């Protein structure tokens, strides 16, 4: 239930913060900074994706107690809170009306790395790069690697169940979270650890309510759940039913169930050696079949760019780092890890044999310099596309669909058909090994009617993804953009279960309303910035 948000009139004089700019007066117990000026509000109104919503205020808590004070106040006043890390999230989960809560600035501490246990504690504002710098001294790393790792925070990664190129081997963020420190929607602070025998009483009570609501739907959840290798859409009911850990529901909940104020993470040993092969493919079928065979060899990455990306690179005169042949449908980048260079070389040679019939040519990088040349185009995908898009805007609105790997070629065909049908050029690339593709349509925003066209594309792709047994979010989350499409993907019964989860954790609907679950009347392009 999201009763509060439509009733909140954030710009009205009656709104509690307005006219009471003194932080101490406004929010009892809150010692951080509250900003009401247009500059702060504008800065927190935008993020990396296409959604812009200016908040009514910005709160920068100093610590977890501050967050709890803010949440208690928001609950009493019915003010929505929008948790925020670095703002690199794509689908608008990080922007919204109410108070933007900066959980990065005051939460930068990397705790001691426990090399024996291979764990580390982090505050939610710590970036992936910062943790990895500390862990490297112990020969360890956090193996889930979003391309935004220099900037994105663990608060955001946990909230989105982020993934990366190495998720094909290591899984997504959920698998590496051992415990969470949380502020719940009533301001209670709790900690929860994977496998704990006695959860905090408040958490037990919440989970009890969810169990009662969800129990009659277990069979439907099991039958309907998409069989994809990664997912960050909806609430992770199936994982939670399997483990019994509330942590599984909280990871991936996009700031809608609780605020993360600390975490204990598992770490993995840094691989001793890595090697890379580049596979050129002349048909989509061959690409799909090759990915299935490559997965049998447990690659550490299996990434793809498709013909649309190859054409854009060629037309833009960009140096791809290797000769681009005519007639290619896709290029796969396959990375192997091992204990030694020889072991990795052996794996890459096995790969060559494994794809002999399907790949037009297999090139194995000779050294680290060549490896980084091969990776250049794939790693720089989004900025490169934005630069090469000419007068069009490279827009992320169907940017994160995921399907069973066996349906990968069907998915690329679906995307090409829908986009061509609406006259939208687009670039397709992504995590082929996980069946998760990023799609950047290039939109002419000076053309009348472009919004309607885009909304139709979103609806048609959502229907197609549902038919292929996938979801619209492999790693970026639903945000505001995809919330209105939730029922298309999950069906009414599972969405009702998701609502039960939300209501049990946040009965007043103050935590990120309109994210994951839509508000009445919400549409995908509400708040689009163009
Ligand atoms: C160039 C680029 C490349 C990217 N590559 C990848 C990639 O490879 N893989 C991938 O998965 N993603 C990728 N992303 C998306 C994005 O970087 C990730 O989702 C990232 O984890 C978001 O982190 P953030 O700190 O920016 O969070 P934000 O964008 O600030 O927030 C994201 C979500 O988390 C919630 N949130 C933030 N902090 C907290 C908290 N402490 N408690 C509760 N909720 C919180 C927010 O409300 C929001 O819903 C990319 C983005 C860009 C711009």
């Amino acid at each position: 239930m999201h009763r509060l948000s439509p009733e909140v009139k954030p710009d009205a004089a009656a709104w509690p913060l307005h006219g009471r700019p003194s932080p101490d007066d406004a929010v009892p117990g809150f010692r951080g900074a509250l900003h009401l000026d247009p500059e702060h509000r504008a800065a927190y109104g935008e993020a990396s994706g296409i959604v812009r919503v200016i908040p009514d205020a910005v709160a920068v808590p100093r610590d977890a107690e501050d967050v709890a004070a803010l949440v208690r106040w928001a609950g009493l006043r019915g003010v929505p809170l929008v948790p925020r890390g670095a703002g690199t999230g794509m689908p608008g989960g990080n922007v919204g009306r109410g108070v933007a809560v900066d959980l990065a600035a005051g939460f930068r501490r990397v705790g001691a790395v426990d090399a024996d246990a291979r764990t580390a504690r982090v505050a939610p504002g710590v970036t992936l790069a910062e943790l990895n710098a500390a862990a490297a001294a112990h020969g360890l790393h956090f193996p889930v690697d979003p391309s935004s790792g220099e900037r994105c925070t663990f608060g955001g990664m946990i909230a989105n169940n982020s993934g990366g190129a190495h998720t094909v081997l290591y899984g997504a963020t959920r698998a590496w979270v051992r415990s969470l420190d949380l502020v719940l929607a009533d301001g209670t602070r709790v900690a929860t650890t994977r496998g704990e025998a006695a959860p905090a009483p408040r958490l037990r009570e919440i989970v009890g309510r969810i169990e009662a609501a969800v129990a009659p739907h277990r069979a439907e959840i099991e039958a309907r759940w998409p069989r994809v290798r990664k997912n960050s859409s909806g609430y992770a009911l199936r994982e939670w039913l399997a483990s019994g850990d509330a942590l599984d529901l909280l990871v991936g909940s996009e700031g809608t169930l609780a605020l993360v104020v600390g975490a204990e993470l598992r770490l993995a040993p840094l691989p001793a050696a890595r090697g890379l092969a580049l596979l050129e493919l002349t048909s989509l079928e061959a690409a799909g079949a090759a990915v299935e065979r490559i997965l049998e060899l447990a690659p550490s990455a299996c990434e793809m760019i498709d013909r649309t990306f190859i054409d854009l690179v060629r037309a833009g005169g960009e140096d791809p780092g290797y000769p681009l042949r005519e007639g290619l449908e896709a290029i796969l980048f396959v990375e192997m890890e091992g204990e030694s260079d020889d072991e990795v070389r052996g794996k890459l040679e096995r790969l060559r044999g494994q794809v002999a019939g399907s790949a037009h040519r297999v090139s194995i990088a000779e050294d680290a310099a060549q490896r980084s040349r091969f990776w250049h185009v794939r790693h720089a995908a989004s900025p490169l596309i934005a630069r090469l898009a000419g007068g069009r805007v490279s827009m992320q609105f169907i940017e994160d669909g995921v399907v069973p790997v066996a349906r990968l070629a069907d998915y690329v065909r679906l995307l090409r058909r829908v986009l061509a049908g609406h006259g939208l050029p687009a670039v397709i690339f992504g995590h082929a090994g996980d069946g998760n593709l990023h799609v950047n349509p290039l939109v002419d925003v000076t053309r009348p009617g472009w919004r309607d066209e885009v909304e139709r594309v979103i609806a048609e792709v959502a229907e197609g993804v549902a038919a292929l047994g996938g979801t619209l979010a492999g790693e970026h989350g639903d945000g505001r953009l995809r919330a209105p499409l939730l029922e298309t993907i999950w069906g009414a019964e599972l969405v009702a279960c998701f609502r039960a989860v939300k209501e049990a954790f946040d009965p007043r609907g103050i935590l990120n309303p309109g994210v994951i679950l839509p508000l009445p009347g919400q549409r995908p392009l509400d708040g689009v910035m163009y």
Side-chain angles (χ1 to χ4, degrees), residues 276-281 286-292 294 301-306 310 322 330-335 351 355 358-359 361 363 375 408 430-433:
L276 180 67
L278 196 139
L279 280 58
E280 295 163 284
L281 296 130
V291 170
E292 286 188 89
I294 291 163
C302 178
E303 301 282 295
M304 183 184 96
I305 61 176
D306 101 324
I310 298 167
Y322 43 86
I331 294 176
L332 292 173
F333 303 82
V334 183
E335 188 195 79
L351 167 76
V355 296
S358 54
R361 190 172 69 171
S363 314
W375 269 130
L408 195 64
H431 312 297

Side-chain angles (χ1 to χ4, degrees), residues 259-485:
L259 276 61
V260 177
V261 291
E264 186 186 3
L265 306 169
R266 295 198 303 120
L267 302 170
L270 278 163
R274 275 181 170 157
L276 180 67
L278 196 139
L279 280 58
E280 295 163 284
L281 296 130
T282 47
S283 86
L284 277 180
E285 282 66 29
V291 170
E292 286 188 89
R293 283 205 298 280
I294 291 163
L295 286 178
E296 292 166 16
L297 300 175
S300 53
C302 178
E303 301 282 295
M304 183 184 96
I305 61 176
D306 101 324
R307 166 165 50 83
T308 53
F309 200 155
I310 298 167
D311 290 348
L312 188 82
V313 168
R314 196 183 274 121
E318 183 75 23
D319 175 12
Y322 43 86
L324 278 183
R325 295 168 184 245
E326 292 292 330
L328 292 183
E329 281 295 325
I331 294 176
L332 292 173
F333 303 82
V334 183
E335 188 195 79
M336 296 288 181
E337 287 182 2
E339 294 298 318
S340 66
D341 289 338
D342 283 351
E343 183 195 341
V344 167
R345 187 80 203 184
K347 285 184 178 181
L348 291 171
E349 290 301 342
R350 267 205 303 288
L351 167 76
R352 198 195 284 280
Q354 186 90 334
V355 296
S358 54
H360 177 69
R361 190 172 69 171
V362 179
S363 314
I364 296 177
E366 289 303 327
D367 51 27
Q370 195 174 26
R371 222 162 48 229
S372 98
R373 270 202 306 284
F374 278 10
W375 269 130
H376 158 67
V377 163
R378 169 61 193 95
H379 278 167
S382 282
L384 199 65
I385 295 164
R387 184 154 58 77
L388 298 179
R392 290 171 178 260
V393 176
S394 168
M395 250 190 227
Q396 282 114 345
F397 52 83
I398 45 168
E399 87 292 354
D400 195 31
V402 58
V403 296
V405 171
R407 309 306 302 271
L408 195 64
D410 296 328
Y411 183 39
V412 176
R413 255 192 302 274
L414 163 85
L415 289 165
R416 288 182 182 173
R417 176 172 49 73
V418 171
L419 289 157
H422 293 278
L424 280 180
V427 180
I428 301 173
F429 61 99
H431 312 297
D434 280 323
N436 176 210
L437 294 184
H438 298 320
V439 185
N440 288 22
L442 307 178
V443 183
D444 177 359
V445 294
T446 61
R447 199 172 96 182
W450 71 264
R451 279 165 186 265
D452 295 340
E453 214 66 84
V454 165
E455 285 218 346
R456 281 197 285 274
V457 169
I458 294 174
E460 286 171 34
V461 170
E463 303 256 332
V465 165
L468 291 172
T471 83
L472 289 175
E475 57 181 19
H476 293 173
D478 290 315
R480 290 174 198 289
L481 179 69
R482 287 183 268 275
L485 301 152

Side-chain angles (χ1 to χ4, degrees), residues 83 85-89 93-94 146-148 153 157 159-160 162-163 254 260 475 512:
T88 66
N94 41 18
S147 316
S148 50
T153 68
M157 286 177 66
N160 281 349
S162 294
E254 301 185 47
V260 177
E475 57 181 19
N512 234 354

Side-chain angles (χ1 to χ4, degrees), residues 20 90 98 108 129 142 145 152 158 200 236 319 382 401 411 421 440 474 476 489 491-493 516 529:
R20 296 181 67 192
M90 299 280 188
R108 304 299 306 272
F142 189 79
D145 57 338
C152 70
I158 291 165
D319 175 12
S382 282
Y411 183 39
N440 288 22
H476 293 173
I489 297 296
E493 192 171 338
I516 299 186
M529 66 170 77

